[in-house]
Amino acid sequence: MAQYDVIIIGGGPGGYNAGIRAGQLGLKVAVVEKRTTLGGTCLNVGCMPSKALLHASELYEAAGGEFATLGIEVKPKLNLVQMMKQKADSVTALTKGIEFLFKKNKVEWIKGAGKIAGPGKVEVTAEDGSVTALEAKDIVIATGSEPTPLPGVTIDQERIVDSTGALSLPEVPKSLIVIGAGIIGLELGSVWRRLGSKVTVVEFLDRITPGMDAETAKTFQRSLTKQGVEFKLGAKVTGATASKKGVSLTVEPVAGGAAETLEAEYVLVAIGRRPYTEGLGLENVGITPDKRGFIETDHFKTSAPGVWAIGDAIHGPMLAHKAEEDSVACIEIIAGKYGHVDYNLVPSVVYTYPEVAWVGQTEEQLKDAGVAYKVGKFPFSANSRAKINHETDGFAKVLADAKTDEILGVHIVGPQAGEMIGEYCVAMAFKAASEDIARVCHPHPTRSEAGRQAAMGVEGWTMQA
Ligand code: FAD
Ligand code: NAI
């Protein structure tokens, strides 16, 4: 029977990074992955294909509108087949890249579905049905997550799709209803709106993107509305009927009132994701997931000795970079080193136009916790680079402790916000005060100056607005 130091089940950002780190530390490691390619949800049907379509659709829309403002007159013609092909080619290059990294770091990829058969034992069922038994001192669960189903709305991946279906629609829908105003709904809704769909977003709550700073979410919603996205907030979908031509949805106000019927060619269900642990054999080592399906852990240790869990399968933000942080810390602990993740410093980015990026606490969280804080805010409409680029939507906001001036949260809504947030992750990791940012020279003309001006605003000496 093959023996390993560590067997990792799942080859996504949690699992593949865990494999690579284990290889680097000289552990004998295998990653069990049942897909035909490595990279998990993120590379195959998540982060990467969605960003490929967001990038291409943003340029398509700009070519049909904003380019003319810049004096570039073109008439773009959509070639959806090519757009999908370049997406698929990029995904293949990325997943092959992980195979290369596995070879380089001596990580063995065992193809098939992994099941924990008992303490230190993993069984892998290959596509042809053959079963291989493996043994390891430590087992890491990195099996990720799957879309949460919505009762009464059956995903058929034809007319009613989840994120995976929405990444590969065969045509531009004339109309698309998105259920859920979260990150997936707004990113993929943006893709199809830019390509020509009429997009309506139905959201249960009375606001979009729960978890995002409320003022930032309002500005973001205003910007999406200006672009033509329609929102039905405080509304719940109670049923759906799909035909060959489209979908009929029954929607009721959450607060009570008359139901209405909405029609669309396609419906995207994006109401969240849940941990995926089907067929994993958790019962064989006495692990019971919590009510929402998450595996409970203490510094990645599960209740079963020698079994660890990371990424989307455990609590915390369901993000690729969080899974990656988990993976490194978990493997370093297994290897007898020190591993730690500061979940307060895991940034979030919504890759729409404008982008939204944040790290640390929201104003609502600070108020709830009774923390006294000061706010510095700077609009991109006063930032020279944003003006020159005709991209003035949004603002940067810095929240700092009223007494110590330590930065507690940063919220940016504007193009390239995702590229700007890294500076604040580093600053906050070093416990920077807002004045530390305010006193650092930033390059001119860049959007990063808006972040600095926001930091100056905490002490009331913003100079450019
Ligand atoms: P996964 O990536 O889900 O990987 C788990 C792997 O385990 C899968 O490949 C699965 O096949 C395999 N597996 C499961 N069970 C078994 C088994 N029993 N045996 C063998 N293999 C098994 N995050 C970001 O940070 N940025 C983004 O821009 C972003 N965009 C996204 C867009 C979409 C449309 C979606 C759906 C998600 C997006 N995410 C994004 C979230 C991100 O994809 C996840 O947080 C991340 O993939 C989680 O990594 P993971 O390793 O925990 O799990
Ligand atoms: P989400 O949790 O971000 O948003 C789901 C939305 O659906 C919420 O606004 C919620 O209130 C709403 N909702 C729930 N039930 C509903 C119902 N019955 N009817 C109407 N609305 C309902 O989940 P989403 O968008 O599915 O994404 C899942 C996760 O994937 C994200 O939380 C994120 O962790 C990850 N992701 C990250 C991306 C990024 O980092 N850029 C991109 C895409 C996904």
Side-chain angles (χ1 to χ4, degrees), residues 340-361:
H340 172 73
V341 179
D342 183 346
Y343 291 105
N344 184 48
L345 293 186
V346 174
S348 291
V349 181
V350 189
Y351 295 88
T352 42
Y353 186 94
E355 287 186 351
V356 187
W358 68 98
V359 61
Q361 303 285 295

Side-chain angles (χ1 to χ4, degrees), residues 20 38 93-107 109:
I20 291 168
L38 292 169
L94 289 166
T95 59
K96 289 273 174 224
I98 307 294
E99 279 186 51
F100 165 79
L101 290 173
F102 271 21
K103 284 191 188 117
K104 188 178 161 203
N105 292 288
K106 298 193 173 55
V107 184
W109 172 14

